[in-house]
């Protein structure tokens, strides 16, 4: 499934930490939510559930829909009602309450199956005066990552936070050995990533980047 760039997918990145004693309840609920979202919602393109590689019970979600309206409709489904009920039952650790990022991707929409991957969520807050230079570098990074140059890169998508100008949010997925980390390690050696590192060394940020690593469940 593909769409024109005038109908960019609407995406959500989410991070939270669950109390250990609520882990099993969460996993059962969220895996059912994942399947029902993809099987029953026509606008649902992708639903990723993953756990931090170093912090047990810290989880990440990435969801994509054909439009923002698709996400609004998603929130009215019975399986999301189950999530809201769980969310309101005090399942989060102190300081582990959900952090949301909403954004429109720059990529064409496509249906993505549930799959194993090594993933990143990244938040970059860019100085307004270097915005154009940042976009040029990051578009090149995305193009190289999603090309034949990186056969182990499953996905590299990003967009600007819909509520915070110059805050850019990323979701990346890699395959290969060591749970997919092989793909990310190769990504870090590519010319387009080196170009990004050179740009990042020029202090273009208004606050330090946030980079989270996780594996899908």
């Amino acid at each position: 499934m593909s769409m024109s760039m005038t109908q960019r997918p609407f995406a959500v990145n989410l991070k939270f930490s669950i109390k250990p004693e609520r882990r099993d309840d969460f996993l059962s609920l969220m895996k059912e939510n994942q399947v029902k979202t993809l099987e029953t919602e026509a606008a649902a393109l992708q639903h990723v559930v993953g756990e931090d590689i170093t912090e047990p019970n810290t989880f990440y979600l990435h969801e994509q829909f054909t439009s923002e309206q698709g996400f609004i409709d998603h929130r009215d489904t019975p399986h999301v009602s189950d999530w809201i009920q769980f969310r309101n039952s005090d399942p989060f650790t102190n300081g582990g309450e959900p952090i949301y990022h909403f954004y429109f991707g720059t990529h064409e929409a496509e249906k993505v199956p549930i799959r194993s991957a090594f993933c990143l969520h990244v938040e970059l807050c860019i100085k307004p005066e270097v915005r154009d230079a940042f976009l040029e570098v990051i578009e090149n990074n995305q193009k190289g990552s999603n090309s034949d140059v990186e056969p182990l890169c499953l996905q590299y998508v990003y967009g600007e936070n819909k509520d915070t100008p110059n805050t850019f949010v990323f979701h990346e997925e890699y395959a290969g050995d060591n749970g997919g980390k092989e793909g990310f390690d190769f990504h870090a050696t590519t010319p387009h990533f080196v170009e990004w590192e050179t740009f990042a060394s020029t202090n273009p940020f208004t606050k330090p980047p946030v980079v989270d690593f996780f594996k899908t469940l």
Side-chain angles (χ1 to χ4, degrees):
M1 177 180 180
S2 64
M3 304 176 67
S4 72
M5 291 299 286
T6 59
Q7 296 176 286
R8 298 180 301 157
F10 184 78
V12 183
N13 283 8
L14 176 60
K15 176 183 180 179
F16 49 86
S17 296
I18 295 290
K19 295 174 180 177
E21 62 271 22
R22 303 298 304 277
R23 175 187 177 90
D24 289 345
D25 292 340
F26 163 73
L27 289 175
S28 176
L29 172 74
M30 190 50 62
K31 294 302 286 185
E32 182 178 6
N33 188 309
Q34 181 185 42
V35 171
K36 287 184 176 179
T37 296
L38 293 174
E39 290 185 352
T40 67
E41 297 181 45
L45 297 170
Q46 186 173 15
H47 191 304
V48 176
V49 182
E51 185 171 13
D52 196 279
I53 63 171
T54 61
E55 297 182 19
N57 301 315
T58 292
F59 296 97
Y60 303 86
L61 303 183
H62 173 73
E63 299 179 68
Q64 288 188 40
F65 299 86
T66 56
S67 65
E68 187 171 7
Q69 184 60 49
F71 173 70
I72 293 170
D73 294 341
H74 167 70
R75 294 189 300 183
D76 290 334
T77 61
H79 43 278
V80 172
S81 295
D82 292 340
W83 159 249
I84 293 173
Q85 183 177 356
F86 175 82
R87 188 186 66 191
N88 292 337
S89 68
D90 191 31
F92 305 111
T93 61
N94 185 27
E97 294 79 11
I99 300 172
Y100 294 85
H101 289 287
F102 301 100
Y103 58 103
F104 289 94
T106 63
H107 58 291
E108 291 190 8
E110 63 176 337
K111 192 84 170 181
V112 179
I114 299 171
R115 60 191 178 190
S116 297
F118 181 88
C119 304
L120 285 75
H121 277 178
V122 181
E123 178 190 359
L124 302 176
C125 300
I126 300 299
K127 295 176 180 177
E129 61 268 26
V130 299
R131 175 189 174 95
D132 290 346
F134 163 78
L135 289 174
E136 181 178 353
V137 171
I138 215 66
E139 287 168 7
N140 183 60
N141 198 355
Q142 181 188 51
K143 182 178 179 180
S145 299
N146 289 330
S147 73
D148 292 340
V149 173
E150 290 197 46
L152 296 179
C153 179
L154 300 175
Q155 187 176 31
Y156 184 115
V157 299
Y158 76 96
E160 187 170 12
N161 188 303
K162 69 183 293 286
D163 300 313
T164 311
N166 298 314
T167 293
F168 294 87
V169 187
F170 295 72
H171 174 77
E172 303 174 38
E173 295 186 13
Y174 298 90
D177 292 339
N178 194 17
K181 190 172 183 298
E182 178 190 11
F184 173 73
D185 289 342
F186 179 78
H187 169 71
T189 69
T190 59
H192 46 273
F193 185 82
V194 171
E195 180 184 355
W196 159 249
E197 289 285 274
T198 300
F199 175 80
S201 70
T202 64
N203 190 29
F205 309 112
T206 58
K207 65 179 184 179
V210 178
V211 183
D212 293 310
F213 296 93
F214 62 98
K215 291 184 179 180
T216 57
L217 297 174

